[in-house]
Amino acid sequence: MRDWIEEELELLTAVVDRPSELEEDKMAGPIADLELKPPLCVSESSCIQQALDAMREHRTGSVLVTAGGLLVGIFTERDLMMKVVGLVNDLRGTPVSQVMTADPVCLQRHDAIIYVMNNMHIGHFRHIPIVDDLGRPEGVVSIRDLMDFLLADQRALVANVTCEPFRGQPTRESA
């Protein structure tokens, strides 16, 4: 048993001491490298319930809100928690435009991935809409998309770590 623990500690130390393989070039690449999925959009006149139904059906944490094909807002899980739950009683009669985040920060496909990271970090966002030159939605980058992209080279390392960190022998004295 002792040999196994020492071997695990050696492997963990090697991983911690290894220089990061996250290269600056990877973050300088265009957002298009993230292989964006088509955007999930609802009209500004859609009710909150329609937006929630779309989010549930597509298993996503946000929908883009459009008017005339142009992005006017985003409705996210955070909007649901902060602006709807306990505050709005009629989900079918209230337009999503009343509770969305209007004029969200947007990026374009040719912008560098580092801008996604910067905006998510500085703005505390988990979703960044991607639009074309006219403001038409082309996709959304979620924090999950970003993590998947950044950890692509580290998948085996991350997948092979146990869920709970090893912290040494238990010190429990009673039985």
Side-chain angles (χ1 to χ4, degrees), residues 69-83:
L70 302 178
L71 182 71
V72 294
I74 185 170
F75 179 72
T76 67
E77 296 163 320
R78 185 174 291 156
D79 292 320
L80 173 65
M81 294 303 298
M82 303 304 289
K83 301 174 186 175

Side-chain angles (χ1 to χ4, degrees), residues 8-21 154 157:
E8 285 295 312
L9 287 173
E10 274 182 42
L11 289 171
L12 287 173
T13 304
V15 168
V16 170
D17 292 340
R18 187 173 69 193
S20 172
E21 293 182 21
Q154 305 292 330
L157 174 67

Side-chain angles (χ1 to χ4, degrees), residues 58-125:
H58 290 87
R59 300 178 54 87
T60 187
S62 69
V63 291
L64 300 182
V65 183
T66 60
L70 302 178
L71 182 71
V72 294
I74 185 170
F75 179 72
T76 67
E77 296 163 320
R78 185 174 291 156
D79 292 320
L80 173 65
M81 294 303 298
M82 303 304 289
K83 301 174 186 175
V84 176
V85 174
L87 300 172
V88 176
N89 294 325
D90 185 7
L91 300 180
R92 295 195 188 285
T94 306
V96 72
S97 59
Q98 288 186 10
V99 293
M100 70 182 185
T101 299
D103 301 316
V105 170
C106 299
L107 294 169
Q108 295 185 337
R109 288 179 171 274
H110 56 78
D111 293 329
I113 293 168
I114 193 73
Y115 291 107
V116 172
M117 295 177 70
N118 176 269
N119 280 283
M120 285 184 170
H121 175 68
I122 300 298
H124 303 282
F125 306 137

Side-chain angles (χ1 to χ4, degrees), residues 31-37 109:
I31 290 170
D33 287 352
L34 296 175
E35 299 177 25
L36 300 172
K37 292 173 249 145
R109 288 179 171 274

Side-chain angles (χ1 to χ4, degrees), residues 46-56 75 90-96:
S46 298
C47 68
I48 296 170
Q49 188 63 57
Q50 289 169 313
L52 294 174
D53 290 345
M55 290 166 65
R56 185 180 306 109
F75 179 72
D90 185 7
L91 300 180
R92 295 195 188 285
T94 306
V96 72

Side-chain angles (χ1 to χ4, degrees), residues 159-170:
N160 290 316
V161 173
T162 61
C163 294
E164 294 187 28
F166 176 75
R167 295 192 177 104
Q169 287 290 90

